Amino acid sequence: MTITWQGLPQAHAAGAAQVIALQPPIEAQVTVQISSQPTPGLRVVRTDKIGRITYHTVSDLMRALTLWLGHARTETQFDYTEASRFDTVGLMIDVARNAVLKPETCNKIFTRLASLGYTEVWLYLEDCFEVPGLPYFGRQRGRYRQVELHEMALAADAVGITLVPAIQTLAHLRNLFKWQAFEKVMDAPDCLYVQKPETTAFLRQVLQAASAPFLTKKIHIGMDEAYNLGRGQLLRDRGLIPQADLMIAHLHTVMALCEELGLKPAMWSDMWFQIASKQHRLYDPDTTFSDALVASIPAVTQVYWDYYHAQEAPYDQMFALHAKLNKPLIFASGIWSWSGLAPGQKTMQATLKAGMAAANRAKVRQVVTTMWGDDGCEAPFESAWLGIQTFVEYQYHETVSNAWAAQQFALMQRRDYQAFMHLDRFENLLAKAPNLTLDNPGKILLYEDLLLQRYAVNLQGHDLVAHYQQLAQDLAASAATPGPDQAMFKYYQHLAHTLSLKAAALQQLRLLPASGKPQVPVIKAALQALRAALLITISDFRALWHHERRGEGYEIMDLRLNGLIGRVDTTLWRLDEWLAGRDPLEELQAPALLMDKYTNGETGRGRYIQIITASAISQNM
């Protein structure tokens, strides 16, 4: 096999070689002529032994190489054209939720993102980066060293990706404030004490450290969900000050620091809505921005994040309201990698379809999709590639059908659409519809306590044993197929099997008070089967985590997952105590009540701490 690439720009030759290496060899003698074009987009052509690629930007070139090679695997004649629709199309990767990707993992991700046509990556860091002079900043959190961030920025740049730091300069700092070293700059447990000299000095250090290793002056300064602003130590010191006044004053301080450092900041927009809404609601459609508020906001790019609607109208309303802020705007969608144990694929598809259509109508020129890692980042990064592919297709196509996404997923990544769609069923019990209530029954079932059974009422009415048995069977083929995703699908197959056994064990335990001692051997057998399955599933997950991510943060998963085995052992022991008449097993005899749902769905949505116990796990809770 020989492919001769003619006209490949020297500046991008090394990056292009990395992208080309992602594709399998093609058994053909072909010469491919490469040239730039003045109009946005790309064109890929093949006529037997002659190929042609034209492109506008570096990202167009990288995608074009992937498309050409993908088509050339099976076609000797083709001519495809795509026009790019946005100036920037990015992916935000959250490494601040206990799961810090290894630098080498990030570098591989950058190459694959480039091969799909991405232009930017936002690295959401919070405190997971080194700040010289602040040894406790990000300590034991897997933080990146300055040299690592610089090397990652260089690796991204080599394939045409701009790596952008995304930090927090106001709230979302709960992990930071676990250390007494930062008491002087703390207002509430997650929020900075604003308009204080010590805070300004601290932020200067943080902004300098967050920006220095990167090759761009862009920076995301966060400032979202600052609900406790002025409600902690500042309130005790200064009394009640309107949050709007504090927010604006602090933003001017941060903007002055950014100007001092030559930075170009962007911020989340949600707090302006929280402040201006009469109901203090996020993205209230009845929000009215006063002229005074709009005039007081500095000229900083606003990032409108919204992942929650499957209809276009709510997005249209919010784009219209954002226009009244008179600031540059970026739209941030989400690919629902954080919905629980696995991505919410149908939720991703529905919300992207609506949000991107509205963004196109609003003539937004910059878009990004987010990969949050809420509540422990339990879904492997690898599980998100279908969402990543689907989103980038909106850069080149006004509408993206599921069939088109499936075709491109196979063509460009050689991945199986249907196998990735099976992952949706971990947190979606609906047969065909997207899980728009954001219930997470899989996570609830995994962590549901065997004896307390807090979610028994919520989960009733669903045959969870059959649901997860069938899911395990449907994942078996992917788990047996060699390839880059085999280990992930083996884990998910074993996880689905474990969930079916957990559901069975919970059912058997609920029968004990009525059935009595004859039920005990059946329960013990169910518990032993569950224990054996947990050992395999935990081993799979541990290997996946440490393949992608640093060790810091996994101690949380060790406690969560191995705690499940501990509860199995305790339950077995207490069954023996019950048989001997020494333990009444009072938990199983308590009346069953509906657990708080936090959604309007059938099962509800729970975080780990809500699922496992009603008791405090530390003195501060």
Side-chain angles (χ1 to χ4, degrees):
M1 183 279 295
T2 301
I3 296 180
T4 303
W5 306 97
Q6 294 183 347
L8 190 64
Q10 187 61 37
H12 307 304
Q18 294 179 52
V19 167
I20 291 168
L22 293 175
Q23 301 300 318
I26 295 172
E27 298 301 323
Q29 296 273 352
V30 184
T31 298
V32 182
Q33 301 166 344
I34 300 173
S35 60
S36 62
Q37 64 182 37
T39 54
L42 59 92
R43 184 182 181 190
V44 292
V45 180
R46 181 181 180 185
T47 306
D48 295 325
K49 295 184 178 181
I50 299 296
R52 189 165 74 254
I53 289 175
T54 54
Y55 67 94
H56 182 62
T57 64
V58 178
S59 58
D60 291 335
L61 170 62
M62 300 303 178
R63 180 177 171 92
L65 290 168
T66 306
L67 285 173
W68 194 94
L69 290 166
H71 285 292
R73 285 200 303 270
T74 58
E75 303 170 55
T76 59
Q77 306 276 339
F78 56 81
D79 187 342
Y80 298 103
T81 301
E82 292 186 328
S84 50
R85 308 175 62 79
F86 302 101
D87 299 331
T88 299
V89 56
L91 175 69
M92 192 220 74
I93 302 174
D94 179 1
V95 298
R97 298 299 192 281
N98 296 347
V100 178
L101 292 171
K102 296 177 180 179
E104 55 267 33
T105 303
C106 288
N107 294 345
K108 292 176 182 177
I109 290 168
F110 299 154
T111 302
R112 186 163 293 279
L113 292 175
S115 77
L116 303 180
Y118 279 84
T119 67
E120 283 190 354
V121 170
W122 294 1
L123 198 60
Y124 181 76
L125 295 160
E126 287 189 5
D127 62 331
C128 291
F129 61 100
E130 176 189 17
V131 178
L134 297 177
Y136 286 95
F137 191 96
R139 173 173 163 77
Q140 297 181 328
R141 290 260 289 141
R143 65 188 175 197
Y144 294 116
R145 292 179 288 117
Q146 291 278 298
V147 65
E148 289 175 325
L149 289 172
H150 184 61
E151 289 170 351
M152 289 160 62
L154 289 172
D157 183 68
V159 292
I161 296 281
T162 301
L163 186 61
V164 179
I167 64 169
Q168 288 290 352
T169 59
L170 181 56
H172 280 289
L173 295 172
R174 191 174 295 272
N175 284 305
L176 185 74
F177 291 138
K178 291 176 180 176
W179 299 104
Q180 290 185 348
F182 303 103
E183 281 184 336
K184 290 184 178 180
V185 298
M186 183 180 74
D187 176 10
D190 66 339
C191 196
L192 284 170
Y193 193 129
V194 302
Q195 299 309 102
K196 188 177 184 182
E198 292 90 340
T199 302
T200 302
F202 166 76
L203 284 175
R204 182 180 284 106
Q205 282 182 276
V206 169
L207 286 164
Q208 173 67 30
S211 59
F214 294 85
L215 306 182
T216 180
K217 291 299 182 180
K218 290 183 177 182
I219 189 169
H220 197 300
I221 58 174
M223 302 188 74
D224 59 312
E225 298 178 324
Y227 307 133
N228 293 319
L229 174 63
R231 300 299 185 260
Q233 187 60 43
L234 190 151
L235 175 63
R236 291 186 284 274
D237 291 345
R238 303 181 187 176
L240 185 63
I241 301 173
Q243 285 189 326
D245 295 347
L246 294 172
M247 184 84 183
I248 291 164
H250 183 64
L251 179 56
H252 278 278
T253 297
V254 174
M255 289 295 291
L257 292 171
C258 288
E259 185 175 356
E260 176 185 317
L261 297 170
L263 303 178
K264 300 176 181 178
M267 65 175 289
W268 304 114
S269 67
D270 55 287
M271 282 301 292
W272 305 126
F273 289 80
Q274 191 80 14
I275 288 168
S277 167
K278 291 181 180 179
Q279 290 79 32
H280 301 290
R281 287 170 48 203
L282 175 63
Y283 296 152
D284 179 358
D286 296 323
T287 298
T288 300
F289 297 117
S290 68
D291 292 342
L293 176 64
V294 173
S296 68
I297 300 173
V300 56
T301 298
Q302 301 294 307
V303 184
Y304 160 41
W305 59 267
D306 195 339
Y307 338 116
Y308 294 99
H309 303 102
Q311 296 79 37
E312 296 174 22
Y315 297 100
D316 288 333
Q317 289 178 316
M318 289 303 107
F319 279 120
L321 284 171
H322 276 86
K324 295 180 180 180
L325 291 173
N326 294 323
K327 302 295 183 293
L329 185 63
I330 300 173
F331 175 57
S333 64
I335 56 172
W336 283 101
S337 57
W338 65 93
S339 55
L341 303 176
Q345 309 286 39
K346 292 178 182 175
T347 308
M348 170 270 293
Q349 291 170 332
T351 56
L352 283 184
K353 180 180 179 181
M356 295 304 289
N360 187 55
R361 267 195 304 277
K363 295 182 170 50
V364 174
R365 298 302 305 161
Q366 300 184 74
V367 293
V368 66
T369 199
T370 56
M371 272 189 70
W372 296 107
D374 292 14
D375 197 28
C377 204
E378 290 160 317
F381 185 96
E382 191 176 332
S383 67
W385 281 113
L386 176 58
I388 292 169
Q389 178 83 55
T390 302
F391 174 73
V392 80
E393 293 306 310
Y394 285 97
Q395 164 72 323
Y396 294 95
H397 305 277
E398 184 173 355
T399 59
V400 178
S401 68
N402 295 341
W404 176 259
Q407 176 183 315
Q408 293 296 88
F409 198 43
L411 180 77
M412 303 185 76
Q413 298 196 51
R414 291 169 292 121
R415 285 185 153 104
D416 182 358
Y417 172 86
Q418 189 53 56
F420 274 75
M421 285 303 298
H422 286 321
L423 302 183
D424 184 75
R425 292 154 60 193
F426 278 95
E427 305 298 357
N428 186 4
L429 300 179
L430 304 174
K432 296 181 179 180
N435 175 16
L436 295 174
T437 61
L438 311 180
D439 290 19
N440 58 353
K443 182 164 183 167
I444 288 172
L445 179 58
L446 178 64
Y447 294 125
E448 172 80 313
D449 190 81
L450 291 164
L451 297 175
L452 296 173
Q453 300 211 19
R454 308 187 73 210
Y455 284 82
V457 175
N458 298 52
L459 297 176
Q460 71 183 7
H462 296 281
D463 188 348
L464 298 178
V465 175
H467 177 84
Y468 288 106
Q469 278 180 345
Q470 185 61 55
L471 179 55
Q473 292 176 22
D474 292 343
L475 288 167
S478 300
T481 303
D485 304 318
Q486 184 180 26
M488 180 188 74
F489 282 115
K490 279 186 177 179
Y491 158 66
Y492 274 123
Q493 179 196 14
H494 292 154
L495 176 61
H497 177 61
T498 298
L499 291 176
S500 72
L501 295 176
K502 179 69 174 286
L506 289 166
Q507 287 178 2
Q508 295 298 334
L509 279 161
R510 284 196 295 273
L511 295 174
L512 181 62
S515 300
K517 291 183 180 181
Q519 184 71 16
V520 171
V522 178
I523 296 173
K524 283 190 170 184
L527 290 171
Q528 293 290 3
L530 172 60
R531 193 183 196 283
L534 278 168
L535 287 171
I536 295 171
T537 301
I538 292 170
S539 177
D540 290 345
F541 184 72
R542 181 171 56 229
L544 281 174
W545 179 290
H546 288 88
H547 176 71
E548 292 183 341
R549 298 158 174 168
R550 287 183 159 165
E552 293 94 337
Y554 191 76
E555 69 277 11
I556 300 297
M557 298 312 304
D558 259 339
L559 292 169
R560 291 185 183 185
L561 297 174
N562 290 296
L564 298 175
I565 294 176
R567 290 301 285 166
V568 171
D569 291 344
T570 294
T571 303
L572 287 166
W573 178 80
R574 290 188 64 190
L575 285 169
D576 288 337
E577 292 293 290
W578 181 77
L579 286 173
R582 293 189 292 267
D583 189 332
L585 286 177
E586 291 175 322
E587 298 99 316
L588 289 176
Q589 305 189 45
L593 298 176
L594 185 70
M595 181 62 183
D596 293 338
K597 290 184 176 182
Y598 302 101
T599 75
N600 59 359
E602 291 186 15
T603 63
R605 188 180 193 199
R607 291 176 177 263
Y608 170 75
I609 196 171
Q610 295 161 339
I611 300 168
I612 58 164
T613 182
S615 298
I617 63 172
S618 74
Q619 291 180 347
N620 296 324
M621 301 190 67

